[in-house]
Amino acid sequence: MNILFLLKPKSTIIYLPAKSTIRQGIEKFKAHSYTAVPVIDDDGKYLGTISEGDFLWNIVNENDFKIKDNEHKYIYSILRSNYNPPIKVDTTMDELFEKITNQNFVPVVDDRNFFVGIITRKDVINYLRENQA
């Protein structure tokens, strides 16, 4: 089976542009109750995933956090490298299963590293449940 069968396309999910401010990111997390979202650059390439923990560590590191002060600091400045690495569109189901056991969702990119969407753990579990032998 092709992993794209399980894909939630970019147009249907929440993601953050890398040039979003930290305040905008916090507000989006609050509005949608997400714990992590993909971050993409202006060209549409996947840069990483930002989590609630990233915002929390930013607050801790700031030591005197004020939401107003974060209107001029950008998401990309607190993005961790190699957190929630993506898979390519031609990844096998076995490779997907290995990744999804450690993450709530797996970002999917094309051969040029353009973000195309995500595959969620919930969708994989539902697929496996529905297709039991």
Side-chain angles (χ1 to χ4, degrees), residues 105-122:
F105 69 87
V106 177
V108 181
V109 297
D110 66 12
D111 290 336
R112 299 171 299 156
N113 202 38
F114 284 94
F115 180 68
V116 295
I118 64 171
I119 297 174
T120 66
R121 184 184 299 156
K122 179 181 178 181

Side-chain angles (χ1 to χ4, degrees), residues 28-48:
K28 187 158 283 202
F29 268 63
K30 184 178 176 185
H32 295 283
S33 299
Y34 287 124
T35 58
V37 297
V39 177
I40 62 172
D41 70 10
D42 290 341
D43 296 325
K45 292 186 178 181
Y46 176 76
L47 297 178

Side-chain angles (χ1 to χ4, degrees), residues 77-108:
S77 69
I78 63 170
L79 195 60
R80 288 180 283 161
S81 61
N82 296 324
Y83 172 65
N84 204 13
I87 58 174
K88 301 262 187 209
V89 292
D90 60 353
T91 297
T92 67
M93 287 298 280
D94 287 338
E95 292 170 311
L96 171 63
F97 293 152
E98 187 176 315
K99 283 279 226 189
I100 204 71
T101 59
N102 298 317
Q103 302 170 186
N104 287 330
F105 69 87
V106 177
V108 181

Side-chain angles (χ1 to χ4, degrees), residues 28-86:
K28 187 158 283 202
F29 268 63
K30 184 178 176 185
H32 295 283
S33 299
Y34 287 124
T35 58
V37 297
V39 177
I40 62 172
D41 70 10
D42 290 341
D43 296 325
K45 292 186 178 181
Y46 176 76
L47 297 178
T49 295
I50 194 150
S51 70
E52 289 176 322
D54 296 319
F55 291 111
L56 178 61
W57 281 112
N58 180 59
I59 290 168
V60 168
N61 291 335
E62 289 289 312
N63 205 19
D64 185 27
F65 183 84
K66 293 180 180 66
I67 195 75
K68 243 351 191 176
D69 294 342
N70 285 274
E71 291 176 353
H72 306 290
K73 294 179 186 171
Y74 299 96
I75 293 291
Y76 64 79
S77 69
I78 63 170
L79 195 60
R80 288 180 283 161
S81 61
N82 296 324
Y83 172 65
N84 204 13

Side-chain angles (χ1 to χ4, degrees), residues 4-17:
L4 295 179
F5 176 74
L6 298 169
L7 183 76
K8 288 187 185 297
K10 174 182 166 183
S11 62
T12 65
I13 64 165
I14 300 298
Y15 59 88
L16 287 170

